[in-house]
Amino acid sequence: MRHLLRSPAGLAGTTLVTIMVILAIIGPPIWGAEAERINPSAILQGVSDAHPLGTDNLGRDILARVMVAGRLSLLLALLTTLIGAVIGTVLGALPSVLPRRGARVVTGTVNALVAFPGLLLAMFTAVVAGLGAKGAVLGIGVAIAPGFARLTQTLAASVAGADYVSAARMLGVPRMRVMTRHVLPNIAEPLILNLTQALGSALLALAGMSFLGLGVQPPSFDWGRLLFEGFSRIYDTPAVALGPAVAVALAGIGFNLLGDALARAAARTTTPAKAAPVPAARQEIEEPDPEAVLEVRDLTVTFPGGVTPVRGLSLTVAPGEIVGLVGESGSGKSLTSSAIGGLVPYPGKVTTGRLRLCGVDLAELPEQERRKLLGTSLAMVFQDPMASLNPALRVGGQLAEVATVHQGASREKAWERAVDRLDHVHIPEPERRARQHPHELSGGMRQRVVIAMGLMGTPRLIIADEPTTALDVTVQRQILRLLRQVTAETGAATLFISHDIAVVGELCDRVVVMYAGRVVEELPVDQLVTGAAHPYTRALVASLPDMDTDRSLPLASIPGRQPAPAEVGAGCAFAPRCALASDRCAELPPLIPYGKAHSVACWEAQ
Amino acid sequence: MIIKNLTVRFGAFTAVDDVTLEIPQGAIVGLVGESGSGKSTLAKAVTGLVRYTGEISGADTRRIQMVFQNPYASLNPRMTVGASVAEGLRLPRADRAAEVERLLSLVSLPGAVAQRYPRELSGGMRQRVAIARALGARPELLVADEITSALDVSVQGSVLNLVRSLREELGLSMLFISHNLAVVRYVSDVVAVMHQGRLVETGPTEEVVDAPRHDYTRSLLEAVPRLGRVS
Ligand SMILES: Nc1ncnc2c1ncn2[C@@H]1O[C@H](COP(=O)(O)OP(=O)(O)OP(=O)(O)O)[C@@H](O)[C@H]1O
Ligand code: SF4
Ligand SMILES: [Mg+2]
């Protein structure tokens, strides 16, 4: 609701619709008598103080009639929309319920009706059903039904493929019940939103019918009828036609705006607003490490609404070192890497105590130089290689572009280097592959291309975010080897992000474990199996089945789930799942040294 | 249950090629292979979701249930957990609540979960609900297609423990599909290795893992990442 009122369109729509509804309720009791009062001495008057919109041919006050006509106009529009929606939803849902042949007939009919001009359909039905309000309502209702049917059909088809629908079919749930319990409730929301907009259109269409004399007949009157009666006088007293016209327009616009805003508000996923504040910059930051390729201190990423997925994270990576960043999904791994690369999407906000790349403080660099530094010394590899490749360009050309843009190489030289780099990442027949498009390569080969792209320059830092998650184990192994080789020969620092602690354990030198946006433990990889001190790290290692796990014992597991970024409290975020938790854990445990090259954030580290 | 010479074709492409596999009563058969090897297609054929040639005998095909990979897509978001689990039950209305509670307790969930909606549950809990729903139909065979691959390691363990306890306590037969060999090794009695639509090796878990006969199985085993093995 708050979202609805925040946008100008939403606010305007809500206000207009509210006014129209109030008018429909209070209009007739207040102005009803006046609207009907015939006054032979005031026939066909123009604008005056007594009659701001003039009078009609029986001397009735037109303003009062406009105020009163709102109720009938809205009620008829509502009725019309309901008729259209019911016919449309049934028609749209039928194909999912009927046997194949029946379904095809219904779908064909709907398609034909959608193509048929709505106005003709409405007039035809209205004429058949008889002149007057009934005919108009039925006519317009029938005319908007095909649109609803099409919408229902499309929405239902998207839900019909869902796993829960397959599951219900497998359980033998009858078709009709699948429709009413699984499909319709899940498409109700967009349908209802569409209804609001349809109401606006129905209102306009009904006014149109009345205006053509096909709608409401005297002595009843709606806005369209008033417009019809006023129209002949529009040249001498425009106000008599303007009043009802403005009313129709405002109501129509109001419903359309509201429907639009509702749809937009529904598309937005609401996030809970409560959250514990992130403690601002903690202790004094120590001297910068001159050796480190990457040094991050107190990195925090926040999104509006108190969503803080990364909370005061610190990290150092040395040249030639592969550091693994592990944690379950949602722990903030990818946002950390985006923040380092300056890629956090709007409206995310990044704050750091320090962010140094190759000994240069990124915060102190002007925008242009920062980009240049990131462009030449940072290579990023993502889970989906297609995110880094342009599907329309040959891979060789994409690689060569890096050299021509950043290093000012000539085109031939750049192409040569591209082929050389493809060869370097063990792509067979590099000359031929360079001339191919990304879609002609397998997933593993595309990932190699992305790595080769990073090697066009001389990267100082390689950030690989789940680079093998989409790949098969055998291909994964080759890519891991390649990363190790590249790190060794370039002396670059590599930050390897993964949810798979086994992969990290095999590839990396050092492991940084994240939980709910914070680093909870940092340790050399050879200590992972036996020397981990944080209860979360220990549980992660214990819960992972590997090729030597004792099959006669149950696996360890961690009850509960990681808190969402907006739910993280002030104390240790792991406390609700921790067997060792005590009162002390209501206070945030600092990340403190725990033996050589090992630090832990836990009061009970053991 | 015995699958004999099962073949699935999509146009000219053969996704599953002449597969013969026995799933003994009360056993868990693990099916491993890389993506595109035809594992899911075989699962769909067994559950009757795609057309196949060949023969499936020894089980009532209507009593085969499947648990899906993505626990976030396999439960109707508008239905309570209890209503979802109750769907497959062929029982008088009065007995349903008790049966739902029994099924939930089978998958180690408290009865109160029945009133909750899927969005209030973690991925691991949802996957348990999906298993409970399938169990409600008293299946002769449960097909589990990558049921832990969308879960975090921290909850994967509890789902795997559940899979094993179901076999022990209910004698449930299961076709357990995964690309993760360590996971398959942990839960299965028999392992079948699939490659390019064909079964290349089948045998008791220990044998396949410790003494693989086929080259492809060997390369799969070699590629499994191991904690603490620095390459
Ligand atoms: N409806 C279809 N039409 C055409 N080809 C299909 C269809 N469904 C699957 N395939 C193909 O069949 C092959 C096997 O697919 P399947 O999904 O069974 O593999 P999988 O081993 O389970 O893979 P993953 O581990 O990625 O799920 C793939 O090459 C796939 O592209
Ligand atoms: S600080 Fe407390 S709750 Fe957090 S991990 Fe340590 S013992 Fe558990
Ligand atoms: Mg599959």
Side-chain angles (χ1 to χ4, degrees):
Chain A
M1 195 63 203
R2 237 180 310 131
H3 282 306
L4 198 62
L5 298 181
R6 214 173 279 161
S7 76
L11 189 64
T14 314
T15 315
L16 283 174
V17 169
T18 312
I19 293 175
M20 292 302 158
V21 170
I22 293 176
L23 186 64
I25 296 169
I26 65 166
I30 296 184
W31 294 286
E34 200 186 338
E36 302 285 354
R37 194 185 323 120
I38 298 172
N39 183 356
S41 61
I43 288 173
L44 296 177
Q45 280 186 357
V47 174
S48 69
D49 280 350
H51 306 290
L53 294 180
T55 59
D56 69 359
N57 56 358
L58 293 179
R60 294 174 295 201
D61 181 60
I62 291 184
L63 179 62
R65 287 176 75 76
V66 169
M67 299 305 232
V68 173
R71 180 184 282 186
L72 185 63
S73 300
L74 289 192
L75 280 180
L76 290 182
L78 196 64
L79 197 62
T80 307
T81 314
L82 283 181
I83 290 174
V86 170
I87 300 179
T89 311
V90 170
L91 274 181
L94 270 179
S96 316
V97 187
L98 290 177
R100 193 170 294 184
R101 173 133 12 122
R104 218 173 286 152
V105 171
V106 175
T107 313
T109 314
V110 168
N111 286 345
L113 287 178
V114 168
F116 201 75
L119 191 60
L120 279 185
L121 197 61
M123 303 246 268
F124 180 74
T125 316
V127 168
V128 171
L131 224 56
K134 195 178 86 190
V137 165
L138 271 177
I140 309 273
V142 166
I144 60 178
F148 265 103
R150 174 60 76 74
L151 183 69
T152 310
Q153 230 171 51
T154 320
L155 291 170
S158 70
V159 174
D163 284 350
Y164 55 82
V165 175
S166 303
R169 292 238 166 89
M170 237 181 271
L171 289 170
V173 178
R175 276 163 174 271
M176 196 59 204
R177 220 176 133 73
V178 169
M179 193 68 212
T180 54
R181 291 201 68 179
H182 293 281
V183 179
L184 285 181
N186 283 298
I187 63 174
E189 200 169 284
L191 278 182
I192 290 170
L193 294 179
N194 197 264
L195 216 65
T196 314
Q197 276 179 333
L199 205 61
S201 317
L203 199 89
L204 294 177
L206 279 172
M209 294 288 267
S210 291
F211 180 70
L212 293 175
L214 293 173
V216 172
Q217 300 298 323
S220 301
F221 55 99
D222 68 345
W223 286 329
R225 184 76 212 172
L226 294 180
L227 196 58
F228 173 67
E229 288 166 0
F231 198 68
S232 53
R233 296 163 60 199
I234 197 154
Y235 292 111
D236 29 288
T237 31
V240 294
L242 230 52
V246 167
V248 169
L250 285 182
I253 293 171
F255 280 106
N256 272 308
L257 284 179
L258 180 65
D260 218 39
L262 278 176
R264 242 175 293 129
R268 201 193 321 255
T269 47
T270 48
T271 41
K274 84 170 164 63
V278 179
R282 301 169 311 174
Q283 23 349 49
E284 285 297 293
I285 294 176
E286 72 287 18
E287 279 298 294
D289 180 349
E291 298 287 299
V293 172
L294 175 71
E295 205 184 355
V296 181
R297 288 289 169 272
D298 282 330
L299 171 73
T300 295
V301 181
T302 42
F303 286 91
V307 179
T308 311
V310 181
R311 307 177 162 246
L313 175 132
S314 297
L315 192 72
T316 306
V317 193
E321 186 186 37
I322 307 185
V323 172
L325 191 58
V326 282
E328 53 199 88
S329 65
S331 59
K333 306 180 295 289
S334 295
L335 268 177
T336 300
S337 74
S338 306
I340 296 168
L343 298 174
V344 172
Y346 178 83
K349 217 172 127 258
V350 179
T351 58
T352 47
R354 174 187 296 155
L355 179 53
R356 288 165 70 89
L357 183 62
C358 309
V360 181
D361 201 322
L362 287 183
E364 283 166 11
L365 283 187
E367 175 70 20
Q368 192 135 21
E369 281 179 48
R370 189 169 69 214
R371 278 186 187 216
K372 181 144 187 262
L373 180 66
L374 288 172
T376 50
S377 47
L378 174 65
M380 291 190 100
V381 185
F382 298 102
Q383 173 171 345
D384 177 12
M386 287 311 278
S388 324
L389 296 173
N390 184 337
L393 300 177
R394 294 172 207 285
V395 296
Q398 297 188 51
L399 262 66
E401 200 185 357
V402 179
T404 49
V405 171
H406 286 301
Q407 295 144 14
S410 71
R411 289 186 61 179
E412 296 83 68
K413 276 265 169 321
W415 182 268
E416 250 169 53
R417 180 154 174 84
V419 173
D420 174 69
R421 297 289 87 184
L422 289 176
D423 186 40
H424 196 79
V425 298
H426 312 296
I427 288 186
E429 305 177 73
E431 296 88 2
R432 186 168 75 85
R433 294 298 182 181
R435 275 188 293 276
Q436 289 186 325
H437 288 91
H439 69 88
E440 294 173 79
L441 309 180
S442 70
M445 234 184 272
R446 283 181 212 152
Q447 205 56 294
R448 284 167 196 272
V449 169
V450 175
I451 295 175
M453 195 185 268
L455 292 180
M456 287 301 288
T458 39
R460 306 304 309 139
L461 175 67
I462 300 171
I463 298 183
D465 189 352
E466 308 260 8
T468 61
T469 306
L471 304 175
D472 285 317
V473 275
T474 45
V475 184
Q476 161 170 297
R477 189 162 182 75
Q478 296 158 7
I479 297 288
L480 294 183
R481 276 213 191 112
L482 177 63
L483 275 175
R484 195 162 251 292
Q485 175 207 330
V486 164
T487 309
E489 66 190 22
T490 57
T494 296
L495 183 63
F496 181 86
I497 298 175
S498 177
H499 69 280
D500 191 338
I501 198 164
V503 171
V504 166
E506 188 167 324
L507 173 77
C508 302
D509 304 310
R510 207 145 55 78
V511 182
V512 175
V513 184
M514 272 184 91
Y515 188 79
R518 298 193 183 101
V519 173
V520 294
E521 183 159 18
E522 204 179 323
L523 73 173
V525 78
D526 50 14
Q527 299 217 5
L528 195 53
V529 178
T530 51
H534 195 282
Y536 176 64
T537 317
R538 298 165 69 96
L540 264 191
V541 172
S543 60
L544 183 77
D546 67 13
M547 297 309 285
D548 308 312
T549 305
D550 186 343
R551 298 176 61 215
S552 61
L553 297 176
L555 285 172
S557 69
I558 314 177
R561 64 188 171 96
Q562 175 180 255
E567 302 166 354
V568 177
C572 174
F574 189 57
R577 303 172 77 182
C578 183
L580 302 178
S582 62
D583 291 347
R584 222 172 146 198
C585 308
E587 193 190 328
L588 184 65
L591 185 68
I592 48 170
Y594 181 90
K596 192 166 175 286
H598 189 166
S599 20
V600 176
C602 171
W603 296 119
E604 309 285 339
Q606 48 179 273
Chain B
M1 189 185 86
I2 298 173
I3 300 167
K4 246 198 194 141
N5 307 112
L6 189 142
T7 297
V8 179
R9 288 201 181 86
F10 297 111
F13 177 72
T14 308
V16 176
D17 192 358
D18 196 26
V19 164
T20 297
L21 179 66
E22 184 186 354
I23 302 170
Q25 179 60 45
I28 299 183
V29 174
L31 185 62
V32 280
E34 310 212 317
S35 79
S37 61
K39 307 182 299 287
S40 299
T41 307
L42 179 60
K44 285 190 191 140
V46 169
T47 46
L49 294 174
V50 297
R51 286 161 180 268
Y52 59 88
T53 58
E55 199 186 325
I56 294 178
S57 58
D60 180 350
T61 43
R62 281 165 309 175
R63 303 252 326 256
I64 298 175
Q65 291 297 321
M66 178 152 157
V67 180
F68 296 85
Q69 172 166 0
N70 185 351
Y72 295 89
S74 63
L75 295 176
N76 185 338
R78 309 272 163 169
M79 272 162 79
T80 60
V81 162
S84 278
V85 172
E87 272 215 304
L89 303 181
R90 301 280 169 273
L91 286 176
R93 202 163 278 276
D95 303 338
R96 285 197 196 155
E99 176 67 0
V100 166
E101 191 163 342
R102 187 187 73 85
L103 291 167
L104 288 176
S105 76
L106 271 182
V107 297
S108 318
L109 285 175
V113 167
Q115 269 76 53
R116 313 259 292 269
Y117 282 89
R119 62 171 176 275
E120 301 168 53
L121 309 183
S122 70
M125 288 168 88
R126 291 182 205 209
Q127 206 55 298
R128 288 160 186 279
V129 172
I131 294 172
R133 175 179 60 189
L135 292 179
R138 305 195 173 254
E140 290 183 8
L141 175 77
L142 193 63
V143 178
D145 188 6
E146 301 274 10
I147 57 171
T148 62
S149 57
L151 302 179
D152 277 304
V153 202
S154 71
V155 290
Q156 167 177 279
S158 69
V159 173
L160 294 179
N161 289 340
L162 170 66
V163 164
R164 287 178 31 137
S165 75
L166 287 177
R167 190 217 29 204
E168 266 139 46
E169 282 157 30
L170 308 180
L172 194 64
S173 317
M174 206 180 296
L175 180 62
F176 186 94
I177 300 175
S178 175
H179 68 282
N180 187 330
L181 203 52
V183 165
V184 165
R185 169 189 170 275
Y186 183 72
V187 297
S188 313
D189 304 297
V190 173
V191 172
V193 183
M194 202 161 179
H195 184 47
Q196 296 181 349
R198 292 170 172 271
L199 280 191
V200 296
E201 180 161 1
T202 308
T205 304
E206 269 85 16
E207 267 177 40
V208 173
V209 170
D210 298 334
R213 277 166 300 165
H214 197 280
D215 280 346
Y216 179 71
T217 314
R218 242 168 280 168
S219 69
L220 266 189
L221 278 166
E222 177 55 27
V224 175
R226 283 166 212 222
L227 257 187
R229 177 184 74 178
V230 177
S231 52

